[in-house]
Every structure is written in structure tokens, then in C-alpha cells.
Amino acid sequence: MSADDTIFALASGTGRAGIAVIRISGPCGGAALAALTGRTAWVPRRAMRVCLRDPQGEHLDDALALWFPAPASFTGENVAELHIHGGRAVIAAVMAALSRIAGLRSAEPGEFTRRAFLNGKLDLTQVEGLADLVAAETSAQHRQALRQLEGALGSLYEGWRRRLVAAMAHLEASMDFADEDLPEGVEQQCREEVAALRAEVAGHLALGSGGERIREGFLVVLIGPPNAGKSSLLNRLAGREAAIVDAVPGTTRDVVEVAMDIGGLAVLVADTAGLRSGRGRVEQEGVRRARQRAAEADLCIAVLDGAIWPAVDGDLLKLIDGDALILVNKSDLGGFDEPLVVAGRAATAVSAKTGEGIAGVVAEIGARLGRRFAAGDAVATTRLRHRHGVEACGSALSRAEAATAAEVMAEELRAAAAALGRIVGRVDVEEVLAAVFSEFCIGK
Ligand code: GDP
């Protein structure tokens, strides 16, 4: 396997479709196109109608072909795209013809994007953004992935990294060439820049893990006493029979989770075992898991049994945290005096049976999650990998600020820049020297 090979792959999904797209990238891209179409003259990036034939001259398909000459292509190499009819036999025949052309082989998973990265077309965060865009299932994931693919996160980190490299260059110049004619106060300027960067890094981390949640999904946990109607509510929310509903208390012994789209956010709603001091071992284990899941939740929904209202389960009250949404279920039974108040907090009457109040609950879940994790126009980390890198950068900046010796400070700045370089996939030590030589007339 070599990066000089010309690779090809089906870029569209598998299965029957109107159109399928085959992508070819590498030095033999033009030759491959010529072999299949008999044509050698192309207008870059313009679709051409072509007749595809295999090397024996057999007609394979009438298709569209596009030619993206290097370097203005997705991978940065010569790229050709064939838009063929999306039948399985057509795809198989064209792929077989391509594999018989010298210098061509089928691509490994992610190989086109890998080449785009290696050729500097995308940084690592953009590569992740592309993967997220293809995987996006909700509108928030879609928006976030697109923003990342456009480079919002990468350019933030790369901007910081460039500033660090510049500060480092100034500092090292002041150390190495102390006798030369350097501007006054270089070290002081550098310290000011480090303080400014550290504040920006801290602000970015303070945005929290909302971006990660948008990508991975928010966790909403239903808690409440047995028979309150948690399973019924989950089914109502999911619009399908996802959890077992039973009139005998204590049937939900494990945690049932259903993934859903609430207001454009990917949300995992978990139904937990009823919270009560369980009789059997299995129930106790269920309650333990329920508590654990509730502790991890982005939002807890406390479900009270309206059939026994206004009696309220004492154990449940202890578990309702400040952010929990409190519901009193079974409003269809009547007898609720609104407004409902539980432990001094407003509660909402709903009926899992009739659906009363459910639309409002869905809107409220979306609004609360959105509020808690909204970063406004600011871009937040979308993976733990970014968070760890930015944290490492922040720690190195703090140490640089505390350093008295310029050498120590420079070393920490190097560590801070390297941490950011790892996030975007760029670590270049020569850059410091380049910056020194471009900004100071040292070889005078
Ligand atoms: P869980 O133990 O909290 O998960 O409760 P379930 O969802 O299993 O429901 C317990 C019982 O309450 C079942 O018999 C349900 O049919 C009933 N139930 C659930 N929601 C409602 C509701 O909104 N109204 C009425 N009348 N009964 C309900």
C-alpha cells in the first residue's frame, strides 16, 4: 500500500439507487478516466456526458464524469468522479473495470480523507467534522459538524498556536541575541500575550461539554417511584412501545434507553427502575443503577404517581436536584388542583395515557438542554480529545506565566503550542526558527 497509488471507491451508499458516485484519486486518475471514456480533454470541474466501456470495449453505462486536477480537489491529487446509474450490477461492472486498470486499487476506509489531511486540505478537526457530518442525525449535530468542517474549531486553535509560536520566537530571540539590537520589553510583551491567551483558553473551556453532548447525545433520566408511569411516559415520548409497561410495581428492573430527537438535539432517554428500597436482590441492583444513571444525567425528570396525589414519595424528594423537571402523571384521573407544587417547586400535570401535557414536556426538555449547553456564537470542543488538548495547553500557559526564567517560560510555551498542534494535527518545530528569521534582521 502506498500513498502514490491511485485509489477508487464507491462514494455513495450501497444498495439500489438512481445514481451512484465513484471517486478516483491519484496520479493515474486521468489515465483511468481516459481508459473508461476514451476521452483525454476535460474542462476542470465541469460535468461531461460520457459512455463508459471496459477494456474489452463492452458498454458499461452512460454516465457523467467530472475532472478535478490537482491541487484544487478534495484530496489535493488528481480526482475524477463518475456519476453512474445506481444499480448493483452497474456499480460492480464499473468497479471491476477500474480494478483492471494498471496502477489502480480500491481505497481503504477513510483513505480519501487521509490524503486530504496529508496534503493540507483539511486539519484534524475538519476531518472529524466531516466524519460527524456524515454521521449527523439531528439538526444540531448537522449544524455543529458543518461549522467544524468549515474550520471554526481548527482556526481557533491554529490562531492560538500561531500566536504562541510568535511569542516563543520573540522570547527565544531575546535570549539568544541579548546583545543585538532588539526592541525593548520583548519579554514583558510576551508575558502579556501569554496572559491574554490563557484567559481565552479558560473562556473556551468554560463553555463546557455542550459540543460533546450535541455530538454524542444528551442523557435524560426518568426517576420516580414504581408505578408512577415512567415506562408509559418513555413510550409516549418515543412514540413506540420501547419499555415494558406493567401494572405490577417493580417491573422495570434494568435501565431502558431510547434514543430520540428532541428539538433537534440527540437525546437518550433512560427509564429506570422504581426508586424504593427493593425487596429482591434484582430490584436493589436496579435501584442502584437508576441512582447511578441519574447522577450522570444532563437532565432528570422526576415522575410522580398522580393516582395517589397529593401524597409524594419521600425517597424521590431527596433525589430531585435543582434542575430536575417535575411531572405528576395520570392527569386523566382528575383531582389535581393546579398549580401543582412539589417541595416548593412547580410541577407539571401530564398523562402518559392520553398524551395530555406531553408536547409541553418535550418542548421544555429541548429548551432546558439548549439553555444549559448553548454556547451562542462561540465554538466549543466537540470531543474529549479537544478538551484534553486545550486543558494541557492551559496548564502549560499557567506554568509559563509562573516561570521567572525566560528559558523555562519558552519551554512551557513550546508545550502549550504542541498541545494545540496535536489537536489540529500539526506539530512543526522548524516554525519557531522561521518566525525568528523572518521578524528579526539577525544575519545583518
Ligand atoms: P413505572 O413503574 O413507573 O414504569 O410505571 P408504568 O409505566 O409501568 O405504569 C404503571 C401503571 O400505571 C400501568 O398500569 C399504566 O397503565 C398506568 N399508567 C401509566 N401512565 C398512566 C396515565 O397517564 N394515566 C393512567 N390512568 N394510568 C397510567
Side-chain angles (χ1 to χ4, degrees):
M1 198 114 26
S2 153
D4 298 332
D5 291 344
T6 297
I7 53 174
F8 66 91
L10 182 66
S12 51
T14 49
R16 207 196 300 187
I19 290 170
V21 177
I22 292 175
R23 190 148 59 171
I24 306 161
S25 178
C28 300
L33 212 47
L36 290 182
T37 64
R39 176 192 273 275
T40 49
W42 298 92
V43 182
R45 296 172 292 282
R46 175 155 330 149
M48 303 279 228
R49 193 165 166 198
V50 292
C51 175
L52 298 182
R53 292 185 185 280
D54 75 6
Q56 283 74 46
E58 190 179 337
H59 186 196
L60 301 176
D61 198 10
D62 289 323
L64 284 182
L66 286 113
W67 175 238
F68 304 88
S73 70
F74 172 66
T75 58
E77 303 175 326
N78 281 337
V79 169
E81 256 181 37
L82 298 172
H83 295 210
I84 63 175
H85 290 103
R88 287 200 181 92
V90 183
I91 296 170
V94 176
M95 296 287 273
L98 283 169
S99 66
R100 284 201 291 273
I101 297 171
L104 263 67
R105 66 166 168 85
S106 46
E108 298 290 310
E111 201 172 2
F112 287 93
T113 313
R114 194 186 180 89
R115 290 186 177 193
F117 168 67
L118 291 174
N119 289 327
K121 291 278 169 180
L122 301 172
D123 71 28
L124 270 191
T125 67
Q126 290 175 300
V127 168
E128 291 168 334
L130 181 59
D132 291 349
L133 188 62
V134 173
E137 289 187 333
T138 69
S139 58
Q141 289 173 334
H142 176 193
R143 270 197 309 275
Q144 175 167 285
L146 204 55
R147 207 137 81 116
Q148 193 167 325
L149 176 60
E150 283 168 352
L153 206 51
S155 54
L156 176 71
Y157 298 148
E158 184 58 15
W160 286 344
R161 202 184 65 86
R162 290 232 172 99
R163 282 164 61 188
L164 274 170
V165 169
M168 214 149 67
H170 288 123
L171 194 64
E172 294 195 345
S174 74
M175 279 150 42
D176 294 351
F177 307 100
D179 301 336
E180 309 281 328
D181 200 10
L182 281 171
E184 290 285 310
V186 168
E187 190 179 328
Q188 185 51 34
Q189 262 177 25
C190 181
R191 285 191 182 277
E192 281 164 17
E193 177 74 332
V194 169
L197 275 166
R198 201 182 56 82
E200 286 177 45
V201 166
H204 178 64
L205 287 172
L207 292 173
S209 56
E212 288 151 58
R213 290 276 92 77
I214 284 174
R215 203 175 78 75
E216 292 156 11
F218 293 87
L219 179 65
V220 171
V221 173
L222 300 175
I223 54 169
N227 245 11
K230 298 179 297 300
S231 309
S232 309
L233 203 60
L234 178 67
N235 290 344
R236 218 356 125 174
L237 291 171
R240 61 189 159 100
E241 297 292 309
I244 315 144
V245 182
D246 202 309
V248 183
T251 43
T252 312
R253 293 209 169 121
D254 211 330
V255 177
V256 180
E257 298 175 330
V258 181
M260 46 188 111
D261 180 334
I262 295 183
L265 299 173
V267 178
L268 199 63
V269 182
D271 175 20
T272 60
L275 289 164
R276 65 170 178 183
S277 321
R279 319 265 142 76
R281 291 253 315 271
V282 180
E283 260 187 31
Q284 274 181 23
E285 175 58 18
V287 172
R288 194 193 63 76
R289 284 192 207 170
R291 284 179 193 275
Q292 189 187 340
R293 213 71 182 112
E296 296 162 4
D298 295 305
L299 176 67
C300 265
I301 301 182
V303 186
L304 277 64
D305 189 350
I308 56 167
W309 179 261
V312 172
D313 186 273
D315 280 347
L316 178 63
L317 288 182
K318 284 185 233 151
L319 275 161
I320 300 179
D321 62 23
D323 299 321
L325 187 61
I326 308 172
L327 306 181
V328 182
N329 188 32
K330 311 189 187 179
S331 62
D332 55 288
L333 297 177
F336 295 10
D337 290 329
E338 301 215 45
L340 301 176
V341 176
V342 175
R345 308 231 334 253
T348 308
V350 296
S351 170
K353 192 173 178 179
T354 65
E356 189 195 346
I358 300 298
V361 168
V362 169
E364 183 62 19
I365 296 172
R368 285 194 187 206
L369 292 178
R371 247 199 323 273
R372 254 178 89 182
F373 296 100
D377 281 341
V379 283
T381 56
T382 61
R383 290 176 195 242
L384 207 53
R385 191 182 81 79
H386 308 155
R387 172 163 297 275
H388 286 160
V390 177
E391 280 168 356
C393 170
S395 311
L397 286 175
S398 299
R399 291 194 299 272
E401 267 191 308
T404 43
E407 288 84 356
V408 178
M409 192 172 166
E411 200 46 46
E412 294 300 353
L413 294 188
R414 192 183 302 280
L420 295 174
R422 278 193 296 276
I423 306 180
V424 294
R426 214 184 138 154
V427 187
D428 191 352
V429 277
E430 292 305 307
E431 240 177 316
V432 181
L433 286 178
V436 170
F437 285 101
S438 69
E439 292 194 40
F440 295 91
C441 280
I442 287 156
K444 55 188 174 206

